[in-house]
Amino acid sequence: GENVEQHPSTLSVQEGDSAVIKCTYSDSASNYFPWYKQELGKRPQLIIDIRSNVGEKKDQRIAVTLNKTAKHFSLHITETQPEDSAVYFCAALGWGTDKLIFGTGTRLQVFP
Amino acid sequence: DVKVTQSSRYLVKRTGEKVFLECVQDMDHENMFWYRQDPGLGLRLIYFSYDVKMKEKGDIPEGYSVSREKKERFSLILESASTNQTSMYLCASTLGREGTDTQYFGPGTRLTVL
């Protein structure tokens, strides 16, 4: 089955810097890759997603890139702000399944 | 606005007790999921359901069972709680049955088994 690895586990950046979180997946047939953000004490929420027929997707300060050949996808946050501090989870949907396989999470801390 | 609620935010139980965790969604969602969240392990799927009285095993179903008697309610049952089931439990639901549908999570139940 699908396996998703996520790095780094923790990331600290200065406010205004960029942050990049990377995930790799094992099932080459996976076709959908969402990112969820979980602020401290709150529930995870979808922030952006990408499908396998697209190489990049942007939404204001966040973007996701997908490299199908290498089987990895990344979350990019530019001009980070303290409210970006959270745990970020990547996920992959295997072909023919209804289950998301989540990565282990990245705790991002943005220092003022 | 989608609302997914869970019966308790915090729960403390003793080893061997039967534990019920309940999840309710008010948006007529088709699919419902139960995950557990542990540090360094991310979100792991326990069970999910795509219809009333239907259930599918996730990646870590051992020691758990589920019940979906009504569309809006999905219960997770620990038949005999053990200390290794101490964890944060998150329920989620999706509008449709497609794996690409957005998952809406509940606030979580932090279960401690003594």
Side-chain angles (χ1 to χ4, degrees):
Chain A
E2 177 66 280
N3 183 49
V4 177
E5 293 189 1
Q6 182 171 349
H7 299 281
S9 57
T10 60
L11 180 59
S12 296
V13 299
Q14 205 74 32
E15 183 177 1
D17 288 349
S18 295
V20 181
I21 302 169
K22 298 181 179 179
C23 290
T24 60
Y25 59 97
S26 59
D27 185 354
S28 57
S30 288
N31 57 7
Y32 175 67
F33 308 92
W35 287 87
Y36 283 78
K37 174 185 179 182
Q38 185 179 29
E39 296 178 25
L40 187 63
K42 296 192 175 180
R43 65 194 76 191
Q45 290 188 300
L46 178 72
I47 55 170
I48 196 167
D49 56 14
I50 191 167
R51 295 176 191 243
S52 59
N53 59 349
V54 175
E56 183 176 4
K57 185 176 178 181
K58 285 184 179 179
D59 183 3
Q60 299 182 350
R61 295 187 298 106
I62 61 173
V64 57
T65 58
L66 172 64
N67 183 327
K68 287 193 294 182
T69 304
K71 291 190 287 185
H72 68 70
F73 56 109
S74 299
L75 178 71
H76 305 253
I77 306 174
T78 58
E79 299 172 28
T80 54
Q81 300 169 4
E83 51 264 38
D84 294 328
S85 297
V87 177
Y88 292 81
F89 293 99
C90 64
L93 180 70
W95 176 257
T97 79
D98 298 320
K99 301 187 306 182
L100 287 178
I101 304 300
F102 284 87
T104 50
T106 296
R107 181 174 298 280
L108 173 65
Q109 289 184 295
V110 180
F111 292 97
Chain B
D1 196 23
V2 178
K3 193 164 186 183
V4 182
T5 58
Q6 295 182 227
S7 49
S8 307
R9 289 302 302 269
Y10 300 93
L11 209 51
V12 179
K13 295 292 182 181
R14 297 223 173 259
T15 301
E17 279 193 84
K18 190 168 186 176
V19 182
F20 292 87
L21 303 183
E22 287 213 314
C23 175
V24 177
Q25 48 87 11
D26 67 354
M27 288 301 290
D28 201 35
H29 280 190
E30 298 291 335
N31 283 8
M32 296 187 75
F33 306 81
W34 274 107
Y35 294 91
R36 64 177 282 177
Q37 181 177 11
D38 300 288
L41 297 178
L43 300 170
R44 292 181 293 166
L45 182 64
I46 304 171
Y47 268 98
F48 69 103
S49 168
Y50 55 87
D51 204 347
V52 174
K53 296 192 186 295
M54 303 302 289
K55 62 183 180 184
E56 292 282 345
K57 290 182 179 179
D59 300 312
I60 51 165
E62 297 79 17
Y64 303 94
S65 62
V66 290
S67 172
R68 194 168 180 198
E69 296 297 318
K70 294 185 178 181
K71 189 176 184 181
E72 67 270 18
R73 191 180 299 269
F74 192 35
S75 300
L76 179 69
I77 304 156
L78 287 66
E79 293 289 340
S80 177
S82 63
T83 54
N84 63 11
Q85 292 179 310
T86 292
S87 186
M88 171 68 84
Y89 289 87
L90 287 166
C91 171
S93 67
T94 61
L95 177 62
R97 294 181 179 164
E98 297 294 325
T100 54
D101 288 340
T102 300
Q103 295 206 6
Y104 293 91
F105 286 86
T109 296
R110 185 165 294 282
L111 173 66
T112 301
V113 182
L114 301 175

